[in-house]
Structure formats: structure tokens, C-alpha cells
Amino acid sequence: YGMNDVISISYLMLPNYRDGSWGTDVEDKLLLEYNIENENTIVYLKKYLVEEKIEKWLIQFEYKDVNYCLIINDLNQAEVEKIVAELHFH
């Protein structure tokens, strides 16, 4: 990437509460959806097309009763999978 290229990563954490829930609502076009198992944790990946020009990845997983969500703009699939492979659960 050059100095003028911008990659945006948002990171959300939400502890599981007994009577609570959370969700995401993305009304953009779903391009790809699949799961990767990483250290006995299933990581859910979805790729969206936003405003017909920006690709956005939504990565979700649960670990020790906490839900995690990463939202990443403008990375290719190999780079996103490299990020998922670098997630360590101890």
C-alpha cells in the first residue's frame, strides 16, 4: 500500500449478558460468506460491496463469552485470512 491508501479497521467487543443480544444490519450486497476454524473457535467472515465501490469485510467470533466483531475496508481475501490466522485464543 502507498502512503495515500487508507485501510479502516473497526473492532467491537460485547460481553454476553443473560438477557441481552446484539446484531448487525448490513444492507449492502453480500458477495461472499464462509467460516474458518482457528484454535477451536469458529470465525465467521462476510464480504460486502458498499455503495457499489467499496469492499467491506465483517469478521465475527465468540471467545470466553465475549462476542467480537472486526469490520475491515478494502483488503483482499488473502490479507483478511492472514488477520484471522493471527488471532490467538489463550
Side-chain angles (χ1 to χ4, degrees):
Y1 292 99
M3 290 179 49
N4 294 327
D5 295 326
V6 176
I7 297 170
S8 172
I9 299 176
S10 299
Y11 180 74
L12 307 168
M13 295 173 45
L14 181 68
N16 286 337
Y17 295 107
R18 185 174 179 193
D19 295 324
S21 66
W22 78 316
T24 57
D25 180 24
V26 179
E27 298 186 16
D28 300 308
K29 183 178 179 182
L30 179 63
L31 300 175
L32 183 64
E33 179 177 19
Y34 63 104
N35 305 330
I36 295 176
E37 186 170 337
N38 181 351
E39 295 184 18
N40 299 317
T41 299
I42 297 175
V43 180
Y44 303 94
L45 298 97
K46 293 181 182 179
K47 179 181 179 182
Y48 293 93
L49 183 62
V50 180
E51 298 175 0
E52 301 299 323
K53 59 185 174 185
I54 299 170
E55 292 182 352
K56 180 180 288 189
W57 286 89
L58 178 65
I59 302 167
Q60 295 176 295
F61 58 93
E62 181 179 330
Y63 179 68
K64 291 190 176 182
D65 292 328
V66 178
N67 289 296
Y68 297 86
C69 179
L70 297 167
I71 302 168
I72 304 172
N73 292 343
D74 292 329
L75 282 184
N76 66 42
Q77 185 172 352
E79 293 167 318
V80 169
E81 289 181 3
K82 184 177 178 181
I83 290 171
V84 171
E86 292 296 322
L87 298 172
H88 298 284
F89 306 95
H90 300 283

Coordinates of all heavy atoms in Angstrom, one line a residue:
Y1 N 0.8 -1.2 0.0 CA 0.0 0.0 0.0 C 0.9 1.2 0.0 O 1.9 1.3 0.7 CB -0.9 0.0 1.2 CG -1.9 -1.1 1.2 CD1 -1.8 -2.3 1.9 CD2 -3.1 -0.9 0.4 CE1 -2.7 -3.3 1.8 CE2 -4.0 -1.9 0.3 CZ -3.9 -3.1 1.0 OH -4.8 -4.1 0.9
G2 N 0.4 2.2 -0.7 CA 1.1 3.5 -0.7 C 0.7 4.4 0.4 O -0.2 4.1 1.2
M3 N 1.4 5.5 0.6 CA 1.1 6.4 1.7 C -0.3 7.0 1.6 O -0.8 7.4 2.6 CB 2.2 7.5 1.7 CG 3.5 7.0 2.1 SD 4.8 8.2 2.2 CE 4.1 9.5 3.1
N4 N -0.9 7.1 0.4 CA -2.2 7.7 0.3 C -3.3 6.7 0.5 O -4.5 7.0 0.4 CB -2.3 8.4 -1.0 CG -1.4 9.6 -1.1 OD1 -1.1 10.2 -0.1 ND2 -0.9 9.9 -2.2
D5 N -3.0 5.4 0.6 CA -4.0 4.3 0.7 C -4.4 4.3 2.2 O -3.6 4.3 3.1 CB -3.5 3.0 0.3 CG -3.2 2.9 -1.2 OD1 -3.9 3.6 -2.0 OD2 -2.3 2.3 -1.6
V6 N -5.8 4.2 2.4 CA -6.3 4.2 3.8 C -7.1 2.9 4.0 O -7.9 2.5 3.2 CB -7.2 5.4 4.1 CG1 -7.8 5.3 5.5 CG2 -6.4 6.7 3.9
I7 N -6.7 2.2 5.0 CA -7.5 0.9 5.4 C -8.1 1.2 6.8 O -7.4 1.7 7.7 CB -6.5 -0.3 5.5 CG1 -5.9 -0.6 4.1 CG2 -7.3 -1.5 6.0 CD1 -4.8 -1.6 4.1
S8 N -9.4 1.0 6.8 CA -10.1 1.2 8.1 C -10.4 -0.1 8.7 O -11.0 -1.0 8.1 CB -11.4 2.0 7.7 OG -12.2 2.1 8.9
I9 N -10.1 -0.2 10.0 CA -10.5 -1.4 10.8 C -11.2 -0.9 12.1 O -10.7 -0.1 12.8 CB -9.2 -2.2 11.2 CG1 -8.5 -2.7 10.0 CG2 -9.6 -3.4 12.1 CD1 -7.2 -3.4 10.3
S10 N -12.4 -1.4 12.2 CA -13.2 -1.2 13.5 C -13.2 -2.5 14.3 O -13.4 -3.6 13.7 CB -14.6 -0.8 13.1 OG -14.6 0.4 12.4
Y11 N -13.2 -2.3 15.6 CA -13.1 -3.5 16.5 C -14.1 -3.3 17.6 O -14.1 -2.3 18.3 CB -11.7 -3.6 17.0 CG -11.4 -4.7 18.0 CD1 -11.3 -6.0 17.5 CD2 -11.3 -4.5 19.3 CE1 -11.0 -7.1 18.4 CE2 -11.0 -5.5 20.2 CZ -10.9 -6.8 19.7 OH -10.6 -7.8 20.6
L12 N -15.1 -4.3 17.7 CA -16.1 -4.2 18.7 C -16.1 -5.4 19.6 O -15.8 -6.5 19.1 CB -17.5 -4.1 18.0 CG -17.7 -3.1 17.0 CD1 -19.0 -3.3 16.2 CD2 -17.7 -1.7 17.6
M13 N -16.3 -5.2 20.9 CA -16.4 -6.3 21.8 C -17.7 -6.2 22.6 O -18.1 -5.1 23.0 CB -15.3 -6.3 22.8 CG -13.9 -6.5 22.2 SD -12.6 -6.2 23.4 CE -13.1 -7.1 24.9
L14 N -18.4 -7.3 22.8 CA -19.6 -7.2 23.6 C -19.7 -8.5 24.5 O -19.9 -9.6 24.0 CB -20.9 -7.1 22.7 CG -22.2 -7.1 23.4 CD1 -22.3 -5.7 24.2 CD2 -23.3 -7.3 22.5
P15 N -19.6 -8.3 25.8 CA -19.8 -9.5 26.7 C -21.2 -10.0 26.6 O -22.1 -9.3 26.4 CB -19.5 -8.9 28.1 CG -18.9 -7.6 27.9 CD -19.3 -7.1 26.6
N16 N -21.3 -11.4 26.7 CA -22.6 -12.0 26.7 C -23.3 -11.7 28.0 O -22.8 -11.9 29.1 CB -22.5 -13.5 26.5 CG -22.1 -13.9 25.1 OD1 -22.4 -13.1 24.2 ND2 -21.6 -15.0 24.9
Y17 N -24.5 -11.2 27.9 CA -25.4 -11.0 29.1 C -26.5 -11.9 29.0 O -27.0 -12.3 28.0 CB -25.9 -9.5 29.1 CG -24.8 -8.5 29.3 CD1 -24.3 -7.7 28.3 CD2 -24.1 -8.4 30.5 CE1 -23.3 -6.8 28.4 CE2 -23.1 -7.5 30.7 CZ -22.7 -6.7 29.7 OH -21.7 -5.8 29.9
R18 N -27.0 -12.2 30.2 CA -28.1 -13.2 30.3 C -29.3 -12.9 29.4 O -29.8 -13.7 28.7 CB -28.5 -13.4 31.7 CG -29.5 -14.5 31.9 CD -29.8 -14.7 33.4 NE -30.8 -15.7 33.6 CZ -31.4 -15.9 34.7 NH1 -31.1 -15.2 35.7 NH2 -32.2 -16.9 34.8
D19 N -29.8 -11.7 29.4 CA -31.0 -11.3 28.7 C -30.7 -10.3 27.6 O -31.5 -9.6 27.1 CB -32.0 -10.7 29.6 CG -32.5 -11.7 30.7 OD1 -32.6 -12.8 30.3 OD2 -32.7 -11.3 31.8
G20 N -29.4 -10.2 27.1 CA -29.1 -9.3 26.1 C -28.7 -10.0 24.8 O -28.6 -11.2 24.7
S21 N -28.7 -9.2 23.8 CA -28.3 -9.7 22.5 C -27.7 -8.5 21.7 O -27.8 -7.3 22.0 CB -29.5 -10.3 21.7 OG -30.4 -9.3 21.4
W22 N -27.1 -8.9 20.5 CA -26.6 -7.8 19.6 C -26.7 -8.4 18.2 O -26.8 -9.6 18.0 CB -25.2 -7.4 20.0 CG -24.1 -8.4 19.6 CD1 -24.0 -9.7 19.7 CD2 -22.8 -8.0 19.0 NE1 -22.9 -10.2 19.2 CE2 -22.1 -9.2 18.8 CE3 -22.3 -6.8 18.6 CZ2 -20.9 -9.2 18.2 CZ3 -21.0 -6.8 18.0 CH2 -20.3 -8.0 17.8
G23 N -26.6 -7.5 17.3 CA -26.7 -7.9 15.9 C -26.1 -6.9 15.0 O -25.8 -5.8 15.4
T24 N -26.0 -7.2 13.8 CA -25.5 -6.3 12.8 C -26.5 -6.2 11.7 O -27.2 -7.2 11.4 CB -24.1 -6.6 12.2 OG1 -24.2 -8.0 11.7 CG2 -23.1 -6.6 13.3
D25 N -26.7 -5.1 11.1 CA -27.6 -4.9 10.0 C -26.9 -4.3 8.8 O -26.6 -3.1 8.9 CB -28.8 -4.1 10.4 CG -29.8 -3.9 9.3 OD1 -29.8 -4.8 8.4 OD2 -30.6 -2.9 9.3
V26 N -26.5 -5.1 7.9 CA -25.8 -4.5 6.7 C -26.7 -4.7 5.5 O -27.1 -5.8 5.2 CB -24.5 -5.3 6.5 CG1 -23.8 -4.7 5.3 CG2 -23.6 -5.2 7.7
E27 N -27.1 -3.6 4.9 CA -28.0 -3.7 3.8 C -27.3 -3.6 2.5 O -27.9 -3.3 1.4 CB -29.0 -2.6 3.9 CG -29.9 -2.8 5.2 CD -31.0 -1.8 5.3 OE1 -31.3 -1.1 4.3 OE2 -31.6 -1.7 6.4
D28 N -26.0 -3.8 2.5 CA -25.2 -3.8 1.3 C -25.2 -5.2 0.6 O -25.7 -6.2 1.2 CB -23.8 -3.4 1.6 CG -23.7 -2.0 2.2 OD1 -24.3 -1.1 1.6 OD2 -23.2 -1.8 3.3
K29 N -24.7 -5.3 -0.6 CA -24.7 -6.5 -1.3 C -23.7 -7.5 -0.7 O -22.5 -7.2 -0.7 CB -24.4 -6.3 -2.8 CG -24.4 -7.5 -3.7 CD -24.2 -7.2 -5.1 CE -24.2 -8.4 -5.9 NZ -23.9 -8.2 -7.3
L30 N -24.2 -8.7 -0.3 CA -23.3 -9.8 0.2 C -22.6 -10.5 -1.0 O -23.3 -11.0 -1.9 CB -24.1 -10.8 1.0 CG -23.4 -12.0 1.6 CD1 -22.3 -11.5 2.6 CD2 -24.3 -13.0 2.2
L31 N -21.3 -10.4 -1.0 CA -20.5 -11.0 -2.0 C -20.0 -12.4 -1.7 O -19.9 -13.3 -2.6 CB -19.3 -10.2 -2.4 CG -19.6 -8.7 -2.8 CD1 -18.3 -8.0 -3.0 CD2 -20.4 -8.7 -4.1
L32 N -19.7 -12.7 -0.4 CA -19.0 -13.9 0.0 C -19.3 -14.1 1.4 O -19.3 -13.2 2.2 CB -17.5 -13.8 -0.3 CG -16.6 -15.0 0.0 CD1 -17.0 -16.2 -0.9 CD2 -15.2 -14.6 -0.2
E33 N -19.5 -15.4 1.8 CA -19.7 -15.8 3.2 C -19.2 -17.2 3.5 O -19.4 -18.1 2.7 CB -21.2 -15.7 3.5 CG -21.6 -16.1 4.9 CD -23.1 -16.0 5.1 OE1 -23.9 -16.0 4.2 OE2 -23.5 -15.9 6.3
Y34 N -18.3 -17.3 4.5 CA -17.8 -18.6 4.9 C -17.2 -18.5 6.3 O -17.2 -17.5 6.9 CB -16.7 -19.0 3.9 CG -15.5 -18.2 3.8 CD1 -14.3 -18.5 4.4 CD2 -15.5 -16.9 3.1 CE1 -13.2 -17.8 4.3 CE2 -14.4 -16.2 3.0 CZ -13.2 -16.6 3.6 OH -12.1 -15.8 3.5
N35 N -16.8 -19.7 6.8 CA -16.3 -19.8 8.2 C -14.9 -20.4 8.1 O -14.5 -21.2 7.2 CB -17.1 -20.8 9.0 CG -18.6 -20.4 9.1 OD1 -18.9 -19.2 9.0 ND2 -19.4 -21.4 9.2
I36 N -14.1 -20.0 9.1 CA -12.7 -20.6 9.3 C -12.6 -21.0 10.7 O -13.0 -20.2 11.6 CB -11.6 -19.5 9.0 CG1 -11.6 -19.1 7.5 CG2 -10.2 -20.1 9.4 CD1 -10.6 -18.0 7.2
E37 N -12.1 -22.2 11.0 CA -11.9 -22.7 12.4 C -10.4 -22.3 12.7 O -9.5 -22.6 12.0 CB -12.1 -24.2 12.5 CG -12.0 -24.6 14.0 CD -12.4 -26.0 14.2 OE1 -13.2 -26.5 13.5 OE2 -11.9 -26.5 15.3
N38 N -10.3 -21.6 13.8 CA -9.0 -21.1 14.3 C -8.9 -21.4 15.8 O -9.6 -20.9 16.6 CB -8.9 -19.6 14.0 CG -7.5 -19.0 14.5 OD1 -6.7 -19.7 15.1 ND2 -7.3 -17.8 14.2
E39 N -8.0 -22.3 16.1 CA -7.8 -22.7 17.5 C -9.1 -23.1 18.2 O -9.4 -22.6 19.3 CB -7.0 -21.6 18.3 CG -5.6 -21.4 17.8 CD -4.9 -20.4 18.6 OE1 -5.3 -20.1 19.7 OE2 -3.9 -19.9 18.1
N40 N -9.9 -23.9 17.6 CA -11.2 -24.4 18.1 C -12.2 -23.3 18.3 O -13.2 -23.5 19.0 CB -11.0 -25.1 19.5 CG -10.1 -26.4 19.3 OD1 -10.3 -27.1 18.3 ND2 -9.2 -26.6 20.2
T41 N -12.0 -22.2 17.6 CA -13.0 -21.1 17.6 C -13.4 -20.9 16.2 O -12.6 -20.8 15.3 CB -12.4 -19.8 18.2 OG1 -12.0 -20.0 19.5 CG2 -13.4 -18.7 18.1
I42 N -14.7 -20.8 15.9 CA -15.2 -20.6 14.5 C -15.3 -19.1 14.3 O -15.9 -18.4 15.1 CB -16.6 -21.3 14.3 CG1 -16.4 -22.8 14.5 CG2 -17.1 -21.0 12.9 CD1 -17.7 -23.6 14.4
V43 N -14.6 -18.7 13.2 CA -14.6 -17.3 12.8 C -15.5 -17.2 11.6 O -15.3 -17.9 10.6 CB -13.2 -16.8 12.5 CG1 -13.2 -15.3 12.1 CG2 -12.3 -17.0 13.7
Y44 N -16.5 -16.3 11.6 CA -17.5 -16.1 10.5 C -17.0 -14.9 9.7 O -16.8 -13.8 10.3 CB -18.9 -15.9 11.1 CG -19.3 -17.0 12.0 CD1 -19.2 -17.0 13.4 CD2 -19.9 -18.2 11.4 CE1 -19.6 -18.0 14.2 CE2 -20.3 -19.2 12.2 CZ -20.1 -19.1 13.6 OH -20.5 -20.2 14.4
L45 N -16.9 -15.1 8.4 CA -16.5 -14.0 7.5 C -17.5 -13.7 6.5 O -18.1 -14.6 5.9 CB -15.2 -14.4 6.8 CG -14.0 -14.6 7.7 CD1 -13.8 -16.1 7.9 CD2 -12.7 -14.0 7.1
K46 N -17.8 -12.4 6.3 CA -18.7 -12.0 5.2 C -18.1 -10.8 4.5 O -17.5 -9.9 5.2 CB -20.1 -11.5 5.8 CG -20.9 -12.6 6.5 CD -22.2 -12.1 7.0 CE -23.0 -13.2 7.7 NZ -24.2 -12.8 8.2
K47 N -18.2 -10.8 3.2 CA -17.7 -9.7 2.4 C -18.8 -9.1 1.7 O -19.7 -9.7 1.1 CB -16.7 -10.3 1.4 CG -16.1 -9.3 0.4 CD -15.2 -10.0 -0.5 CE -14.6 -9.0 -1.5 NZ -13.7 -9.7 -2.5
Y48 N -18.9 -7.7 1.8 CA -20.0 -6.9 1.3 C -19.4 -5.9 0.3 O -18.3 -5.5 0.3 CB -20.7 -6.1 2.4 CG -21.5 -7.0 3.3 CD1 -20.9 -7.4 4.5 CD2 -22.8 -7.4 3.1 CE1 -21.6 -8.2 5.4 CE2 -23.5 -8.2 4.0 CZ -22.9 -8.6 5.1 OH -23.6 -9.4 6.0
L49 N -20.3 -5.5 -0.7 CA -20.0 -4.4 -1.6 C -20.8 -3.2 -1.1 O -22.0 -3.3 -1.0 CB -20.3 -4.8 -3.0 CG -20.0 -3.7 -4.0 CD1 -18.5 -3.4 -4.1 CD2 -20.5 -4.1 -5.4
V50 N -20.1 -2.1 -0.7 CA -20.8 -1.0 -0.2 C -20.8 0.2 -1.2 O -19.7 0.5 -1.8 CB -20.0 -0.5 1.1 CG1 -20.7 0.8 1.7 CG2 -19.9 -1.6 2.1
E51 N -21.9 0.7 -1.4 CA -22.1 1.8 -2.4 C -21.5 1.5 -3.8 O -21.0 2.4 -4.4 CB -21.5 3.1 -1.8 CG -22.2 3.6 -0.6 CD -21.6 4.8 0.1 OE1 -20.6 5.3 -0.5 OE2 -22.0 5.2 1.1
E52 N -21.6 0.2 -4.2 CA -21.1 -0.2 -5.5 C -19.6 0.0 -5.7 O -19.2 -0.1 -6.9 CB -21.9 0.4 -6.6 CG -23.4 0.1 -6.5 CD -23.7 -1.4 -6.6 OE1 -23.1 -2.1 -7.3 OE2 -24.6 -1.9 -5.8
K53 N -18.8 0.3 -4.7 CA -17.4 0.6 -5.0 C -16.4 0.2 -3.9 O -15.3 0.0 -4.1 CB -17.2 2.0 -5.3 CG -17.6 3.0 -4.2 CD -17.5 4.4 -4.6 CE -18.1 5.3 -3.5 NZ -18.1 6.7 -3.8
I54 N -16.9 0.0 -2.7 CA -16.0 -0.3 -1.5 C -16.3 -1.7 -1.0 O -17.5 -2.1 -0.8 CB -16.2 0.7 -0.4 CG1 -15.9 2.1 -0.8 CG2 -15.4 0.3 0.8 CD1 -16.3 3.2 0.2
E55 N -15.3 -2.5 -0.9 CA -15.5 -3.9 -0.3 C -15.2 -3.8 1.2 O -14.3 -3.2 1.6 CB -14.5 -4.9 -1.0 CG -14.9 -5.1 -2.4 CD -14.0 -6.1 -3.1 OE1 -13.0 -6.6 -2.5 OE2 -14.3 -6.5 -4.2
K56 N -16.1 -4.4 1.9 CA -16.1 -4.4 3.4 C -16.2 -5.8 3.9 O -17.1 -6.5 3.5 CB -17.2 -3.5 4.0 CG -17.2 -3.4 5.5 CD -18.3 -2.5 6.0 CE -18.0 -1.1 5.7 NZ -19.0 -0.2 6.3
W57 N -15.3 -6.2 4.9 CA -15.3 -7.5 5.5 C -15.9 -7.3 6.9 O -15.5 -6.4 7.6 CB -13.9 -8.0 5.6 CG -13.4 -8.5 4.3 CD1 -12.7 -7.8 3.4 CD2 -13.5 -9.8 3.7 NE1 -12.4 -8.6 2.3 CE2 -12.9 -9.8 2.5 CE3 -14.1 -11.0 4.2 CZ2 -12.8 -11.0 1.7 CZ3 -14.0 -12.1 3.4 CH2 -13.4 -12.1 2.2
L58 N -16.8 -8.2 7.2 CA -17.3 -8.4 8.6 C -16.8 -9.7 9.1 O -17.1 -10.8 8.6 CB -18.8 -8.3 8.6 CG -19.6 -8.5 9.9 CD1 -19.3 -7.3 10.8 CD2 -21.1 -8.6 9.7
I59 N -16.1 -9.7 10.2 CA -15.5 -10.9 10.8 C -16.0 -11.0 12.3 O -15.8 -10.0 13.0 CB -13.9 -10.8 10.9 CG1 -13.4 -10.6 9.4 CG2 -13.3 -12.0 11.5 CD1 -12.0 -10.1 9.4
Q60 N -16.7 -12.1 12.6 CA -17.3 -12.2 13.9 C -16.8 -13.6 14.5 O -16.7 -14.6 13.8 CB -18.8 -12.2 13.8 CG -19.3 -10.9 13.3 CD -20.8 -10.9 13.2 OE1 -21.3 -11.6 12.3 NE2 -21.5 -10.1 14.0
F61 N -16.6 -13.5 15.8 CA -16.3 -14.8 16.6 C -16.7 -14.5 18.0 O -16.9 -13.4 18.5 CB -14.9 -15.2 16.4 CG -13.9 -14.2 16.8 CD1 -13.3 -14.2 18.1 CD2 -13.4 -13.2 15.9 CE1 -12.4 -13.2 18.5 CE2 -12.5 -12.3 16.3 CZ -12.0 -12.3 17.6
E62 N -16.8 -15.7 18.8 CA -17.0 -15.6 20.2 C -15.9 -16.3 20.9 O -15.4 -17.4 20.5 CB -18.4 -16.3 20.5 CG -18.7 -16.2 22.0 CD -20.0 -16.9 22.3 OE1 -20.9 -16.9 21.5 OE2 -20.1 -17.4 23.5
Y63 N -15.4 -15.7 22.0 CA -14.4 -16.4 22.8 C -14.6 -16.0 24.2 O -14.7 -14.8 24.6 CB -13.0 -15.9 22.3 CG -11.9 -16.5 23.1 CD1 -11.6 -17.8 23.1 CD2 -11.1 -15.7 23.9 CE1 -10.6 -18.4 23.8 CE2 -10.1 -16.2 24.7 CZ -9.8 -17.6 24.6 OH -8.8 -18.1 25.4
K64 N -14.7 -17.0 25.1 CA -14.9 -16.9 26.5 C -16.0 -15.9 26.9 O -15.9 -14.9 27.6 CB -13.6 -16.4 27.2 CG -12.5 -17.4 27.2 CD -11.3 -17.0 28.1 CE -10.3 -18.1 28.2 NZ -9.2 -17.8 29.1
D65 N -17.2 -16.2 26.3 CA -18.4 -15.5 26.5 C -18.4 -14.0 26.1 O -19.1 -13.2 26.6 CB -18.9 -15.6 28.0 CG -19.3 -17.0 28.3 OD1 -19.8 -17.7 27.4 OD2 -19.1 -17.4 29.4
V66 N -17.5 -13.7 25.2 CA -17.4 -12.3 24.6 C -17.5 -12.4 23.1 O -16.9 -13.2 22.5 CB -16.1 -11.6 25.0 CG1 -16.1 -10.2 24.4 CG2 -16.0 -11.5 26.5
N67 N -18.4 -11.6 22.5 CA -18.6 -11.6 21.1 C -17.6 -10.5 20.6 O -17.6 -9.4 21.1 CB -20.0 -11.2 20.7 CG -20.9 -12.4 21.0 OD1 -20.8 -13.4 20.4 ND2 -21.9 -12.2 21.9
Y68 N -17.0 -10.8 19.5 CA -16.0 -9.9 18.8 C -16.5 -9.6 17.4 O -17.0 -10.6 16.7 CB -14.6 -10.4 18.8 CG -14.0 -10.6 20.2 CD1 -14.3 -11.8 20.9 CD2 -13.3 -9.6 20.8 CE1 -13.8 -12.0 22.2 CE2 -12.7 -9.8 22.1 CZ -13.0 -11.0 22.8 OH -12.5 -11.2 24.0
C69 N -16.2 -8.4 16.9 CA -16.6 -8.1 15.5 C -15.5 -7.2 15.0 O -15.2 -6.2 15.6 CB -17.9 -7.4 15.5 SG -18.4 -7.0 13.8
L70 N -14.9 -7.5 13.9 CA -14.0 -6.7 13.1 C -14.6 -6.3 11.8 O -15.2 -7.1 11.1 CB -12.7 -7.4 12.8 CG -11.8 -7.9 14.0 CD1 -10.8 -8.9 13.5 CD2 -11.2 -6.7 14.7
I71 N -14.6 -5.0 11.5 CA -15.0 -4.5 10.2 C -13.8 -3.9 9.5 O -13.2 -3.0 10.0 CB -16.2 -3.5 10.4 CG1 -17.3 -4.1 11.2 CG2 -16.7 -3.0 9.1 CD1 -18.3 -3.1 11.7
I72 N -13.5 -4.4 8.3 CA -12.3 -4.0 7.6 C -12.7 -3.6 6.2 O -13.4 -4.4 5.5 CB -11.3 -5.2 7.6 CG1 -11.0 -5.6 9.0 CG2 -10.0 -4.7 6.8 CD1 -10.1 -6.9 9.0
N73 N -12.2 -2.4 5.8 CA -12.5 -2.0 4.4 C -11.3 -2.2 3.5 O -10.1 -2.1 4.0 CB -12.7 -0.4 4.4 CG -14.0 -0.1 5.1 OD1 -14.9 -0.9 5.3 ND2 -14.2 1.2 5.4
D74 N -11.5 -2.5 2.3 CA -10.6 -2.5 1.2 C -9.3 -3.4 1.4 O -8.2 -3.0 1.1 CB -10.1 -1.1 0.9 CG -11.2 -0.3 0.3 OD1 -12.1 -0.9 -0.4 OD2 -11.3 0.9 0.5
L75 N -9.5 -4.6 1.9 CA -8.4 -5.6 1.9 C -8.9 -6.8 1.1 O -10.1 -7.1 1.1 CB -8.1 -6.1 3.4 CG -7.3 -5.2 4.3 CD1 -7.1 -5.9 5.6 CD2 -6.0 -4.8 3.6
N76 N -7.9 -7.5 0.5 CA -8.3 -8.7 -0.3 C -8.5 -9.9 0.6 O -8.1 -9.8 1.8 CB -7.3 -8.9 -1.4 CG -5.9 -9.3 -1.0 OD1 -5.8 -10.1 0.0 ND2 -4.9 -8.8 -1.6
Q77 N -9.0 -10.9 0.1 CA -9.3 -12.1 0.9 C -8.1 -12.7 1.6 O -8.2 -13.1 2.7 CB -10.0 -13.2 0.0 CG -10.5 -14.4 0.8 CD -11.4 -15.3 -0.1 OE1 -11.7 -15.0 -1.2 NE2 -11.7 -16.4 0.4
A78 N -7.0 -12.8 0.9 CA -5.8 -13.3 1.5 C -5.3 -12.5 2.7 O -4.9 -13.1 3.7 CB -4.7 -13.4 0.4
E79 N -5.4 -11.2 2.6 CA -5.0 -10.4 3.7 C -5.9 -10.5 4.9 O -5.5 -10.5 6.0 CB -4.9 -8.9 3.2 CG -3.8 -8.7 2.2 CD -3.9 -7.3 1.5 OE1 -5.1 -6.9 1.1 OE2 -2.9 -6.7 1.3
V80 N -7.2 -10.6 4.6 CA -8.2 -10.8 5.7 C -8.0 -12.2 6.4 O -8.0 -12.2 7.6 CB -9.6 -10.7 5.1 CG1 -10.7 -11.2 6.2 CG2 -9.9 -9.3 4.7
E81 N -7.7 -13.2 5.6 CA -7.5 -14.5 6.2 C -6.2 -14.5 7.0 O -6.0 -15.2 8.0 CB -7.5 -15.6 5.1 CG -8.9 -15.8 4.6 CD -8.9 -16.9 3.5 OE1 -7.9 -17.5 3.2 OE2 -10.1 -17.1 3.0
K82 N -5.2 -13.7 6.6 CA -4.0 -13.6 7.4 C -4.2 -13.0 8.7 O -3.7 -13.4 9.7 CB -2.9 -12.8 6.6 CG -1.6 -12.7 7.3 CD -0.6 -11.9 6.5 CE 0.7 -11.8 7.2 NZ 1.7 -11.0 6.4
I83 N -5.1 -12.0 8.8 CA -5.5 -11.4 10.1 C -6.2 -12.4 10.9 O -5.9 -12.6 12.1 CB -6.4 -10.2 9.8 CG1 -5.6 -9.0 9.2 CG2 -7.1 -9.7 11.1 CD1 -6.4 -7.8 8.8
V84 N -7.1 -13.2 10.3 CA -7.8 -14.2 11.1 C -6.8 -15.3 11.6 O -6.9 -15.7 12.8 CB -8.9 -14.9 10.2 CG1 -9.5 -16.1 10.9 CG2 -10.0 -13.9 9.9
A85 N -5.8 -15.6 10.8 CA -4.8 -16.6 11.3 C -4.0 -16.1 12.4 O -3.5 -16.9 13.2 CB -3.9 -17.0 10.1
E86 N -3.9 -14.8 12.5 CA -3.1 -14.2 13.6 C -3.9 -14.0 14.9 O -3.3 -13.6 15.9 CB -2.5 -12.8 13.1 CG -1.5 -12.9 12.1 CD -0.2 -13.7 12.5 OE1 0.2 -13.5 13.7 OE2 0.4 -14.4 11.7
L87 N -5.1 -14.3 14.9 CA -5.9 -14.3 16.1 C -5.6 -15.5 17.0 O -5.6 -16.6 16.5 CB -7.4 -14.3 15.8 CG -8.0 -13.2 15.0 CD1 -9.4 -13.4 14.6 CD2 -7.9 -11.9 15.8
H88 N -5.2 -15.2 18.2 CA -4.8 -16.3 19.1 C -5.7 -16.3 20.3 O -6.0 -15.3 20.9 CB -3.3 -16.2 19.5 CG -2.4 -16.3 18.4 ND1 -2.1 -17.5 17.8 CD2 -1.7 -15.3 17.7 CE1 -1.2 -17.2 16.8 NE2 -1.0 -15.9 16.7
F89 N -6.1 -17.5 20.7 CA -7.1 -17.7 21.8 C -6.5 -18.5 22.9 O -6.2 -19.6 22.8 CB -8.4 -18.4 21.3 CG -9.0 -17.7 20.1 CD1 -8.7 -18.1 18.8 CD2 -9.8 -16.6 20.3 CE1 -9.2 -17.4 17.7 CE2 -10.4 -15.9 19.2 CZ -10.1 -16.4 17.9
H90 N -6.2 -17.8 24.0 CA -5.5 -18.4 25.2 C -6.3 -18.3 26.4 O -6.8 -17.3 26.7 CB -4.1 -17.9 25.4 CG -3.2 -18.1 24.2 ND1 -2.6 -19.3 23.8 CD2 -2.8 -17.2 23.2 CE1 -1.9 -19.1 22.7 NE2 -2.0 -17.9 22.3

